Amino acid sequence: MRIIQDVRKTEERFDGIALTIGCFDGVHLGHQQILKALVQEAAAIKGAPAVMTLEPHPRQFFSPQNAPNILTTNAVKYRLLESYGVEVLYVLPFDAKTAALSAQQFVESIIVERC
């Protein structure tokens, strides 16, 4: 699995990806279903299954006192994602700059321009 540590800074491109976005902490049964659908969609378009994960969890940024318990370390999360067939992992640091993006800016500057 190729890990892009800061999607905002990458110039690396992949031909045809199927992308899902989330924290994927714990890679629970719901996440597993999303990953199975992702891998199927990527196969259908002959592309790479890709995940964008937010680190830290947005609730840790906005409300540290109410932050969720993190179920797995990043290293374990990465291994789990890879075991479900993810080929590209984009990490999006969740900070003030990320939080300030509008939905349109997020799609254009992160998803379209970087992924």
Side-chain angles (χ1 to χ4, degrees), residues 15 22 45 47-48 71 81 84 92:
D15 290 330
I45 65 168
L71 302 174
L81 291 171
Y84 281 95
L92 176 59

Side-chain angles (χ1 to χ4, degrees), residues 14-81:
F14 302 89
D15 290 330
I17 63 165
L19 178 69
T20 190
I21 302 170
C23 290
F24 288 92
D25 182 44
V27 190
H28 57 66
L29 291 174
H31 291 144
Q32 293 168 27
Q33 292 301 312
I34 291 168
L35 294 171
K36 287 177 188 176
L38 173 72
V39 169
Q40 289 174 347
E41 181 62 27
I45 65 168
K46 296 180 178 28
V51 167
M52 183 184 302
T53 189
L54 311 169
E55 295 176 6
H57 191 290
R59 284 196 297 169
Q60 287 176 295
F61 173 80
F62 287 115
S63 184
Q65 68 279 10
N66 295 319
N69 292 325
I70 301 302
L71 302 174
T72 59
T73 64
N74 286 338
V76 170
K77 174 172 59 173
Y78 296 176
R79 283 195 303 273
L80 288 168
L81 291 171

Side-chain angles (χ1 to χ4, degrees), residues 69-107:
N69 292 325
I70 301 302
L71 302 174
T72 59
T73 64
N74 286 338
V76 170
K77 174 172 59 173
Y78 296 176
R79 283 195 303 273
L80 288 168
L81 291 171
E82 185 173 34
S83 76
Y84 281 95
V86 174
E87 294 177 17
V88 180
L89 176 63
Y90 295 104
V91 178
L92 176 59
F94 199 89
D95 54 19
K97 185 176 178 181
T98 302
L101 293 172
S102 69
Q104 184 171 344
Q105 289 170 322
F106 174 78
V107 170

